[in-house]
Amino acid sequence: MIRVENIKKYFPIKDGFFNNKSGDVKAVENVSFEIPEGEILGLVGESGSGKSTLGRAIIRLIEPTQGNIFYKNKNITKLSDSEMRKLRKDFQIIFQDPYASLDPRKKIYDIISQGLKVHEKMDKNSINQKVEEIIQDVGLQKEHLNRYPHEFSGGQRQRIGIARALVLNPKFIIADEPVSALDVTIQAQILNLILELKKKYSLTILFISHDLSVINQIADRVMVMYLGHIVEVANTSNLFSNPQHPYTRSLIETAPQIFRKNKKKTLLKGDIPSPINPPSGCVFRTRCPNPGIDCKGGNIEMGLIEVEPGHWVDQCCANCN
Amino acid sequence: MISENLLSIKNLKTHFTVGESVVKAVDGVSFNLEAGKTFAIVGESGSGKSITALSIMGLLPNNLAQTERGEILFDNKNLIDLEENEMRKIRGNRISMIFQEPMTSLNPVYDLSFQISETIILHQKKSKEQARKIAIEMLDLVGIPEPQKRIDSYPHELSGGMRQRAMIAMALSCNPKILIADEPTTALDVTIQAQIIDLMQELQKKLGMSIIFITHDLGVVSEISDHVMVMYLGNVMEIAETSELFNNPLHSYTKSLIDIAPQISDEKREIKVLRGEIPSPTNPPSGCVFRTRCPNPGIGCKGGDIEMGLIEAKPGHWVDRCCYECNQT
Ligand SMILES: Nc1ncnc2c1ncn2[C@@H]1O[C@H](COP(=O)(O)OP(=O)(O)OP(=O)(O)O)[C@@H](O)[C@H]1O
Ligand SMILES: Nc1ncnc2c1ncn2[C@@H]1O[C@H](COP(=O)(O)OP(=O)(O)O)[C@@H](O)[C@H]1O
Ligand code: SF4
Ligand code: SF4
Ligand SMILES: [Mg+2]
Ligand SMILES: [Mg+2]
């Protein structure tokens, strides 16, 4: 469905006064992956690791600095705006903040139907029908269409955000932390709804979260991202039963859980470094609990290698271990 | 084991007036906090956790409704009856509070030196220089690197985790008996959350204060607390020792929360769901407040014969009596 090759996204930093470029925020570095049709691919990492930037770059909401994006085997990296516009409705995003992402002045009906009016030549009746169908699909009622966003709870707003994304029958959804702002009970409801709708609408999903326990519940396969790099990829059960990268291990060990099997908890030192000036060699080395002598780089560059079928890990680390 | 109750809350009620209606944000909460222990308050958004905390601190908004308020006993005083000038001697000194968003309690226009020293000067008779010295020691204690340099930083110059550390330093600078932490790690990444939890446990060992830890995450509860109180819609559903609560939950709400809590596993599990949303506190359900969402309510749950209130089902394990009696029959 989607294949990306060596995607990079740098944000130039301008010197305030002369507007000279003084460096780059290296948000995404050489990332390649595929999402087969019907898969939920999880993308996990701390805030600032580049998850949202990667998500936006692969559907060209922001232009990648480098790399190629293929959608159904067609290279869409260089498509013109008008060609891209035709594809737009196939790609939709569900956002984290159900408060900020809905226009407070618009009624729910207008929020949901907006896309239909832009992308489809539909008569009023068909639009009504579609909107009424979708509002029920997300677990709300027709009566809700006449209300404004502030009349809804966080969970209900997230349902509205999902309805807005699905009304155009998209093929590929980027769900960017869709449950991070919600209570656990509402979180479970929304995750379940996403799974149901994925089946009903045959969706392919990139599911972004900083919470491994959420990813564990919903994803078929997981990519772990740190400071712009993918450091490990595996199907969900392999990643959790046999994590290879120290960053992945620490994320699993520190995820709070009621009944913890493994009492070991390796704390990471300090904070994630600035992506303007990332560490040489392995980008994780400044926080790694157990760095090797080669990790400073020189002999080796970051990049994934396959350690068991379908299980990839950063090669610096595969060699260190 | 004899344990000393440092703080004892009895039938606390905090109601607000909003237009014509009354919001029963906290509606009859009772619990004891033991010396040197961590007591977690857990519940969904809107269950009354923060208002319970703010009631203890005497930091309530001014739309408080007239009602019997209950008791907050600390140091042989009922804090509810204290005048503001009396309360000011306790707040930040004997009982301190930290918040989810450090920027709400750190002032962006002052550096850390000024802000931490301010509390120390207010409560302890120290000079400016002495206070600054203590402030530096506090930053060191909470694991901020190069505290002599960092002391002159402004809050926005720090990362989220470092700000939370600075706030803890400020809260602990007068060596309080009780630290109330209202979701101090909710806005942080898990890796940083783990650091902060570790830090709080270490500081508790060193300084011996009691902690009231508010969270909506049962996973965090199991990591940090000795005892837990489960709240819903202003009411207490259950109180027990942490491992007792997780292994032998008595209340249907607690059972549901444990059931749906994400648990990392190697196999794919179905996602369990608790339907509905927390009702409005202006118009709570009659009888058991949880009954509109309860997976299997009994016939008696609508109330009439029974009112909410805790009973001690086993030593130290308290549960709302509606639910206890439902489950007995
Ligand atoms: N000043 C006020 N006037 C009216 N209602 C209020 C006021 N302050 C809080 N409430 C209401 O009291 C209830 C309990 O609020 P509280 O902030 O204690 O919840 P909480 O458990 O801390 O939730 P969260 O997890 O979202 O922080 C909520 O319904 C809230 O809307
Ligand atoms: N428009 C932008 N200009 C400059 N830097 C940006 C921009 N968007 C994101 N960044 C930076 O790129 C990095 C990755 O950000 P983001 O993709 O939002 O991370 P995540 O979603 O994993 O939290 C961060 O350091 C962020 O500050
Ligand atoms: S490559 Fe070295 S520094 Fe990086 S994660 Fe592996 S062991 Fe740690
Ligand atoms: S009292 Fe009844 S309605 Fe309430 S939680 Fe227990 S069983 Fe459910
Ligand atoms: Mg993001
Ligand atoms: Mg709160």
Side-chain angles (χ1 to χ4, degrees), chain A residues 19-34:
Chain A
N19 237 7
N20 293 329
K21 200 178 121 178
S22 63
D24 286 302
V25 178
K26 296 166 183 154
V28 175
E29 281 278 18
N30 270 328
V31 168
S32 306
F33 62 91
E34 283 180 23

Side-chain angles (χ1 to χ4, degrees), chain A residues 270-290:
Chain A
D271 287 317
I272 191 168
S274 155
I276 297 170
N277 200 1
S280 64
C282 167
V283 287
F284 183 60
R285 70 176 164 78
T286 54
R287 298 174 78 198
C288 182
N290 232 334

Side-chain angles (χ1 to χ4, degrees), chain B residues 19-308:
Chain B
E20 298 287 284
S21 46
V22 172
V23 177
K24 298 178 177 176
V26 174
D27 200 25
V29 163
S30 306
F31 67 92
N32 293 320
L33 175 65
E34 294 177 18
K37 294 283 166 76
T38 298
F39 185 90
I41 304 180
V42 68
E44 284 171 89
S45 188
S47 55
K49 308 180 296 293
S50 297
I51 299 299
T52 301
L54 295 173
S55 303
I56 299 170
M57 295 295 286
L59 287 174
L60 289 168
N62 50 16
N63 58 335
L64 202 63
Q66 288 301 325
T67 176
E68 199 56 49
R69 299 273 331 269
E71 291 173 83
I72 301 174
L73 301 174
F74 174 70
D75 237 7
N76 300 318
K77 293 187 195 90
N78 182 0
L79 301 189
I80 292 216
D81 298 333
L82 285 195
E83 297 291 337
E84 174 56 22
N85 62 344
E86 287 289 310
M87 199 58 214
R88 212 172 289 144
K89 288 182 204 150
I90 293 177
R91 198 187 296 135
N93 185 27
R94 316 286 316 281
I95 307 179
S96 278
M97 184 158 172
I98 60 177
F99 301 87
Q100 171 173 349
E101 185 31 75
M103 288 313 257
T104 57
S105 54
L106 292 175
N107 190 329
V109 303
Y110 296 115
D111 63 17
L112 295 181
S113 174
F114 179 87
Q115 299 193 49
I116 303 176
S117 303
E118 196 186 22
T119 344
I120 300 171
I121 294 166
L122 177 72
H123 292 296
Q124 307 176 13
K125 293 187 184 95
K126 302 278 186 217
S127 69
K128 245 180 153 174
E129 289 69 39
Q130 287 169 320
R132 184 179 159 92
K133 213 175 136 250
I134 297 174
I136 293 174
E137 285 167 15
M138 289 311 298
L139 291 187
D140 192 36
L141 186 70
V142 298
I144 291 185
E146 300 182 282
Q148 302 87 343
K149 273 193 208 156
R150 286 293 182 177
I151 188 82
D152 297 314
S153 310
Y154 289 84
H156 69 264
E157 296 170 334
L158 306 174
S159 68
M162 285 299 154
R163 259 183 236 151
Q164 205 53 274
R165 285 174 194 266
M167 194 161 66
I168 293 173
M170 188 157 96
L172 295 183
S173 59
C174 294
N175 204 1
K177 286 268 168 230
I178 300 173
L179 176 68
I180 303 178
D182 190 356
E183 310 226 19
T185 61
T186 305
L188 303 174
D189 272 304
V190 276
T191 57
I192 309 299
Q193 167 167 277
Q195 292 173 358
I196 298 290
I197 288 177
D198 187 60
L199 172 70
M200 290 182 68
Q201 287 175 325
E202 199 185 293
L203 291 173
Q204 187 174 38
K205 266 194 216 126
K206 263 189 209 154
L207 308 174
M209 76 276 188
S210 304
I211 300 177
I212 296 178
F213 195 103
I214 296 177
T215 175
H216 61 265
D217 186 340
L218 281 184
V220 171
V221 169
S222 83
E223 312 258 304
I224 199 160
S225 75
D226 300 298
H227 298 92
V228 203
M229 170 164 85
V230 181
M231 282 187 80
Y232 186 80
L233 210 58
N235 286 268
V236 180
M237 304 312 227
E238 187 159 4
I239 302 179
E241 268 185 25
T242 305
S243 66
E244 165 71 9
L245 186 102
F246 289 134
N247 292 312
N248 304 306
L250 293 174
H251 199 282
S252 294
Y253 181 55
T254 316
K255 288 178 193 164
S256 297
L257 284 183
I258 294 174
D259 222 26
I260 63 165
Q263 185 69 30
I264 289 181
S265 84
D266 305 346
E267 302 116 57
K268 212 151 189 128
R269 296 180 311 149
E270 72 174 310
I271 298 175
K272 299 217 179 103
V273 169
L274 171 65
R275 66 195 159 86
E277 300 198 1
I278 193 166
S280 154
T282 24
N283 193 13
S286 64
C288 167
V289 287
F290 182 59
R291 74 175 162 79
T292 53
R293 295 174 77 195
C294 182
N296 34 29
I299 30 167
C301 305
K302 284 211 172 154
D305 310 333
I306 204 157
E307 257 186 54
M308 294 201 70

Side-chain angles (χ1 to χ4, degrees), chain A residues 45-53 56 96 176-177 208 210:
Chain A
E46 282 166 280
S47 69
S49 55
K51 307 180 295 299
S52 300
T53 305
R56 271 153 227 248
Q96 164 170 4
D176 192 352
E177 310 246 12
I208 300 177
H210 65 272

